[in-house]
Amino acid sequence: MSDSTKATNFIEDIIEDDLKNGLSTDVLRFRFPPEPNGYLHIGHASAICLNFGLGEKYNRPVNLRFDDTNPAKEEAKYVAAIQKDVEWLGYQWDHLCYASDYFQQLYDWAVQMIKDGKAYVDSQSSEEIASQKGTPTEPGVDSPYRNRSVEENLALFEGMKNGEYGESEHILRAKIDMKSNNMLMRDPIMYRVVNKAHHRTGTDWKIYPMYDWTHGESDYIEQITHSFCTLEFLPHRELYNWFLDQVVESDKIRPKQREFARRNVSHTVTSKRKLQKLVQAGIVTGWDDPRMTTISGLRRRGYTPDSIKNFAASIGIARRENIVDMNHLEFHLRDDLNKKADRVMCVLDPVKLVITNYPDDQVELLQAENSQEDETRGYREVPFSKELYIEREDYREEANKKFFRLKNGKEVRLKNGYIIKGEGCLKDEAGNITEIHATYDPDSKSGSGTEASMRRVKGTLHWVSAAHAVPVEVRLYDRLFTVPSPDTDKEKDFMEFVNPNSLEVITAMAEPAMKNLKIGETVQFQRMGYFCVDPDSTDDKLVFNRTVTLRDTWAKLDS
RNA sequence: UGUCCCAUGGUGUAAUGGUAACACUCCGGUUUUUGGUACCGUCAUUCAAGGUUCGAGUCCUUGUGGGACAACCA
């Protein structure tokens, strides 16, 4: 699809309109402004892709700016984690910025606003201020301190800054309109006293600016042209513009805030509070648990940056509420991994298969292609012998025509090996199959070019040689929630929808070549799915996470 | 009893007054040494009622439904 024919979204339309109306492409500048108070999740990933994607589209810079105005909640470790996540997605920011770098400028502007009669110090309790604020349907009333003199305001504000007052004794408010329909315009708070050390400015500041006062001015300082945020900030736009009005100079860029609907993914939660609850309740092992839709969790699960970017691009952007089906995400994951992952053979639920007419001590090294999608990935050797493991579900003593796998009297191909015929099986007292017997056709070796090897058989099984098999731990992950939208039920807590079977740990039998895999590497276990090496792996034991299964039309047929 | 935002197949998004389309899902088929991939096909869409217009998913009005707004959070 060429750019000229590609449909634009409303965000791009806004930019295009501005360019048409005289804004120069050279001044375009965007930003991604996270608060460093938690880990980024799939929703943030979409926002990152949106802003950095615009930077790529217009070949213009994008800043990473930490909105760090609340030392009570923010920590340096989140700053580091967020940078890692953005880099992992493959984006490079132009400037690394912090709202805290603008504290002095913000303070100076606030002083000027006091002098201009646009801001005042209020000395009431939080409760009093709240009660005067009114409700969405009733106007507020003016604070008794609203008309303090400029001198008194200046002195008090200076005192706040110098730490002469405790928290909540005084605050600085903008003087706007207590009767506004927009509650955010009812003399919003600009500064409060916070007696906590800030992760960057330490104890230099006793007062901290609020979001509304900080955000637009930060955009202005960085000369951001377009400041995109989620819909919940739509009512803030009026205030964003009012604050900008107090400081903009006509020869500078005036940033424009526009809002889009945040993109939700089914079967997940993304609020930091809920994510934290999952961690604290021990439902998951941590913020980077592979079941979490945090970026760190997705990374550990084996998601690729491209799969996330492609997903974000494909779901588009709009202004209506939405819940994107997890299938979309998994489609892009499989689509990417199919191209990138090598194939290996690993038996998840092993049962012994004895090839009764194969020489007892013989071992053959068979050639196996690493990828059917990409021949340049080459071949590896896989040992073949008389005793193998195959998947328990791949054998039935008897089955109907639709069962393409191994059954008594019928032929099936062992991937990269021979064609075998089912002969019977051994069982324990309980009737469980303990050993399957089959015979092989010595002329049917894969790649030998013989007529027998070219024979068409319907089923192909993966396998590993029992004597050469490497036991590995495999963590089978499923969706964390049993319903598409766990947190929209007003009656029920989202924790009630946690999937009790979201993790199953098994020991699987891997082909020897898998011993060389490195932490983080993803491979396809042929016929089973994509799996990546977890950091919990040691020299003695590999641990795999199931990233995602393959599509399985047989499972649907069989059920 | 306020102000504001939103409404297109099951899901997500296009169509910018001119043939309602694309992707995912579902279902079916072809190919296949992965019941994978690839390819082909089927089903299915403009919240309602008025109005403007030669022509409305799009503009207007009124409803209906959903959402946001009363943190010294962002």
Side-chain angles (χ1 to χ4, degrees):
Chain A
M1 209 185 320
S2 72
D3 280 352
S4 57
T5 59
K6 190 177 175 183
T8 57
N9 58 50
F10 82 97
I11 293 280
E12 291 166 335
D13 289 345
I14 289 165
I15 296 169
E16 291 297 327
D17 276 353
D18 288 337
L19 294 177
K20 238 175 260 158
N21 290 328
L23 190 73
S24 169
T25 308
D26 312 331
V27 301
L28 251 26
R29 186 179 283 274
F30 311 100
R31 107 269 91 115
F32 174 65
E35 182 189 13
N37 71 339
Y39 296 92
L40 263 25
H41 54 65
I42 183 71
H44 295 113
S46 295
I48 291 168
C49 291
L50 173 71
N51 285 296
F52 281 91
L54 289 169
E56 286 179 348
K57 172 174 177 173
Y58 292 100
N59 194 27
R60 290 296 303 161
V62 184
N63 291 347
L64 174 61
R65 180 171 74 230
F66 289 99
D67 224 333
D68 55 347
T69 58
N70 186 0
K73 291 186 176 174
E74 295 149 7
E75 294 179 46
K77 69 172 181 181
Y78 296 123
V79 171
I82 289 167
Q83 287 183 53
K84 180 179 177 180
D85 287 347
V86 174
E87 282 178 323
W88 176 74
L89 280 171
Y91 293 116
Q92 288 184 327
W93 49 83
D94 184 36
H95 296 300
L96 182 61
C97 306
Y98 298 84
S100 53
D101 284 344
Y102 314 138
F103 282 173
Q104 185 61 46
Q105 172 70 78
L106 257 9
Y107 177 80
D108 293 343
W109 275 329
V111 167
Q112 188 56 50
M113 283 175 64
I114 293 172
K115 290 177 179 169
D116 294 342
K118 298 285 186 62
Y120 64 96
V121 173
D122 200 335
S123 307
Q124 302 179 94
S125 71
S126 180
E127 294 72 27
E128 285 169 317
I129 291 171
S131 70
Q132 289 161 3
K133 200 147 197 185
T135 70
T137 55
E138 306 157 37
V141 297
D142 289 358
S143 163
Y145 297 97
R146 199 170 199 262
N147 293 311
R148 278 220 252 239
S149 71
V150 169
E151 294 68 32
E152 195 180 357
N153 281 323
L154 251 14
L156 254 11
F157 188 45
E158 170 115 31
M160 286 168 63
K161 180 190 180 230
N162 293 337
E164 292 166 20
Y165 305 111
E167 295 186 4
S168 295
E169 280 186 58
H170 304 287
I171 54 163
L172 186 74
R173 301 177 75 176
K175 192 190 283 191
I176 307 181
D177 176 11
M178 290 304 291
K179 295 180 180 62
S180 171
N181 278 324
N182 184 346
M183 296 204 60
L184 291 159
M185 300 298 280
R186 324 242 262 226
D187 290 9
I189 296 172
M190 294 174 66
Y191 278 95
R192 79 286 207 195
V193 173
V194 180
N195 282 319
K196 295 230 167 45
H198 185 279
H199 65 96
R200 293 191 73 247
T201 61
T203 54
D204 292 352
W205 292 88
K206 312 296 179 201
I207 55 171
Y208 290 89
M210 300 288 288
Y211 166 82
D212 288 296
W213 169 232
T214 309
H215 201 90
E217 320 313 289
S218 298
D219 287 337
Y220 178 64
I221 289 166
E222 293 173 23
Q223 288 289 279
I224 302 299
T225 50
H226 297 84
S227 181
F228 296 111
C229 59
T230 48
L231 236 29
E232 63 196 293
F233 290 100
L234 196 154
H236 293 249
R237 188 154 110 196
E238 188 179 2
L239 181 54
Y240 180 99
N241 285 328
W242 189 91
F243 277 136
L244 241 26
D245 286 339
Q246 313 311 311
V247 305
V248 280
E249 294 169 31
S250 56
D251 59 336
K252 294 231 177 85
I253 294 289
R254 181 190 171 101
K256 177 181 273 191
Q257 172 183 311
R258 288 295 182 272
E259 311 80 16
F260 58 86
R262 68 178 250 222
R263 288 163 288 182
N264 307 290
V265 178
S266 74
H267 301 276
T268 70
V269 295
T270 44
S271 96
K272 283 170 187 165
R273 205 199 91 244
K274 287 171 183 163
L275 256 8
Q276 179 145 46
K277 192 164 176 189
L278 292 168
V279 175
Q280 283 173 345
I283 303 291
V284 296
T285 57
W287 287 87
D288 68 342
D289 186 291
R291 288 164 290 182
M292 296 280 270
T293 42
T294 50
I295 296 180
S296 50
L298 294 169
R299 179 166 57 229
R300 189 168 171 186
R301 176 78 171 250
Y303 275 76
T304 57
D306 279 346
S307 67
I308 293 172
K309 287 172 162 174
N310 292 342
F311 166 74
S314 78
I315 60 175
I317 187 85
R319 306 223 317 157
R320 53 178 151 168
E321 304 248 311
N322 60 80
I323 301 176
V324 184
D325 198 306
M326 177 78 90
N327 283 319
H328 278 272
L329 222 201
E330 292 186 343
F331 167 80
H332 288 286
L333 178 60
R334 291 188 181 106
D335 189 50
D336 197 38
L337 256 17
N338 178 48
K339 292 177 223 152
K340 293 174 178 168
D342 279 350
R343 273 63 169 167
V344 296
M345 292 196 287
C346 183
V347 177
L348 299 183
D349 185 14
V351 61
K352 190 165 280 186
L353 171 72
V354 179
I355 301 172
T356 54
N357 62 336
Y358 193 84
D360 283 354
D361 299 321
Q362 184 169 313
V363 175
E364 286 181 85
L365 291 176
L366 304 177
Q367 293 291 303
E369 58 198 336
N370 286 326
S371 174
Q372 286 81 348
E373 300 296 310
D374 183 1
E375 212 174 311
T376 65
R377 287 172 173 281
Y379 291 77
R380 67 186 186 286
E381 290 185 327
V382 186
F384 184 90
S385 64
K386 185 184 180 84
E387 296 196 353
L388 312 173
Y389 288 119
I390 62 168
E391 216 67 60
R392 187 170 286 275
E393 64 173 16
D394 281 344
Y395 171 75
R396 286 181 190 175
E397 292 176 82
E398 292 172 27
N400 65 24
K401 279 210 299 264
K402 287 191 173 170
F403 187 79
F404 303 157
R405 285 111 105 129
L406 185 62
K407 53 190 169 185
N408 293 341
K410 291 292 180 184
E411 286 191 326
V412 71
R413 184 187 301 275
L414 294 176
K415 178 77 185 169
N416 303 310
Y418 295 94
I419 293 173
I420 60 170
K421 184 197 282 187
E423 304 289 356
C425 63
L426 269 33
K427 296 179 186 175
D428 62 15
E429 299 81 2
N432 301 309
I433 293 170
T434 54
E435 192 171 293
I436 299 162
H437 290 173
T439 51
Y440 85 122
D441 176 351
D443 291 331
S444 67
K445 184 172 169 179
S446 292
S448 64
T450 63
E451 203 173 304
S453 73
M454 313 284 265
R455 197 156 75 235
R456 295 163 71 93
V457 289
K458 192 71 180 165
T460 301
L461 308 187
H462 62 284
W463 51 273
V464 292
S465 168
H468 305 84
V470 181
V472 296
E473 178 175 323
V474 178
R475 299 172 180 172
L476 303 173
Y477 294 108
D478 198 355
R479 291 177 182 177
L480 232 198
F481 293 97
T482 55
V483 296
S485 188
D487 56 357
T488 53
D489 193 317
K490 290 188 178 76
E491 314 288 303
K492 292 183 178 169
D493 187 81
F494 77 101
M495 295 293 278
E496 290 182 42
F497 300 111
V498 168
N499 176 7
N501 305 313
S502 61
L503 170 62
E504 183 188 356
V505 181
I506 61 171
T507 298
M509 291 297 180
E511 66 167 270
M514 285 169 61
K515 277 190 287 197
N516 302 322
L517 291 171
K518 304 280 181 294
I519 285 170
E521 269 191 275
T522 299
V523 290
Q524 184 195 98
F525 289 3
Q526 206 118 203
R527 302 208 303 138
M528 304 309 289
Y530 296 96
F531 295 75
C532 70
V533 183
D534 190 84
D536 285 349
S537 298
T538 62
D539 290 343
D540 301 329
K541 186 170 111 185
L542 281 169
V543 177
F544 287 89
N545 296 320
R546 181 169 68 194
T547 306
V548 67
T549 62
L550 259 28
R551 283 185 67 228
D552 190 351
T553 48
W554 165 245
K556 286 175 194 163
L557 260 181
D558 196 36
S559 60

